[in-house]
Amino acid sequence: MTDELLVVRAQLGERAALAELLARWRMPVWTYVRRMLDGERADDVTQEIWLAVVRGLPRLREPGRFAPWLFTIARRSVTDRLRGEYAWAQETSGFGDMVGERIAEDPVEAMVDRAALVNVLSDLPVPEREILVLFYLEDLPIEECAYICQIPAGTVKSRLNRARRLLREHLEEKGYRP
């Protein structure tokens, strides 16, 4: 069954369709959020996302655009969390503690290259990290990345270019050569 059909059925009040939709998208959403935040914060933000999805699903006018709509909610939730933490850190410690903070690596990731990639991703600026995650790790096309981030497709392309360059530089600094 397609996402579009599941959305329509869920909008009509069918709980099984909503449950299937949530089960289908639970891991992709958590993975996206986890790549942007550490594990504990990812769990909290993911719960907030699903609450917003359940509340907003009846108002979704284009059921065929469920995935971009879902990742837009996820992006806003991550952005809100980061913005709140940065503001709090600035108020309490002059922003110093947050600058050096890194996203904790997932202990399940056993491969050294994968761990290095996660570590390097956490070093990238949030806009570039976000585009890399959406485009390469979530396999979304440029147009959907643009829609989710609310930026022009050309900006997505330039951020991808900059992100790839920064990623390459960070990997080389850490001793990883292609």
Side-chain angles (χ1 to χ4, degrees):
M1 189 175 310
T2 66
D3 287 342
E4 184 174 8
L5 184 56
L6 285 173
V7 168
V8 171
R9 290 173 66 184
Q11 287 175 328
L12 293 173
E14 190 176 314
R15 290 181 184 211
L18 179 61
E20 187 175 338
L21 198 60
L22 295 179
R24 184 179 291 181
W25 285 96
R26 183 180 61 82
M27 282 310 295
V29 168
W30 186 86
T31 302
Y32 166 75
V33 174
R34 174 60 181 88
R35 289 175 173 146
M36 298 302 291
L37 303 170
D38 63 46
E40 184 178 320
R41 294 186 300 171
D43 291 340
D44 292 344
V45 170
T46 301
Q47 287 179 0
E48 294 169 11
I49 291 165
W50 287 117
L51 183 60
V53 167
V54 169
R55 287 180 177 161
L57 195 60
R59 294 185 304 277
L60 178 61
R61 294 178 193 239
E62 296 181 56
R65 305 254 323 137
F66 177 74
W69 177 77
L70 173 62
F71 279 101
T72 299
I73 291 172
R75 177 184 185 267
R76 286 182 184 149
S77 297
V78 167
T79 302
D80 289 348
R81 174 61 63 100
L82 290 172
R83 188 177 294 129
E85 289 174 0
Y86 290 155
W88 179 81
Q90 195 169 19
E91 289 173 9
T92 59
S93 67
F95 201 70
D97 294 337
M98 289 296 288
V99 173
E101 184 177 318
R102 291 186 175 192
I103 294 174
E105 290 183 24
D106 188 352
V108 176
E109 295 175 342
M111 293 175 32
V112 174
D113 291 341
R114 178 97 173 143
L117 179 61
V118 169
N119 189 29
V120 171
L121 276 176
S122 69
D123 291 338
L124 296 179
V126 172
E128 283 75 13
R129 179 179 359 149
E130 177 178 57
I131 292 297
L132 281 176
V133 168
L134 289 171
F135 186 75
Y136 287 110
L137 303 176
E138 298 301 330
D139 292 324
L140 294 174
I142 287 177
E143 295 76 26
E144 288 189 6
C145 292
Y147 177 82
I148 291 166
C149 296
Q150 298 178 340
I151 56 176
T155 304
V156 170
K157 291 176 185 177
S158 66
R159 283 187 187 171
L160 271 173
N161 187 33
R162 182 171 188 267
R164 285 189 289 257
R165 182 179 45 78
L166 288 172
L167 187 61
R168 188 178 317 108
E169 290 171 2
H170 281 50
L171 285 171
E172 288 174 356
E173 282 177 14
K174 296 186 186 253
Y176 293 93
R177 304 269 184 236

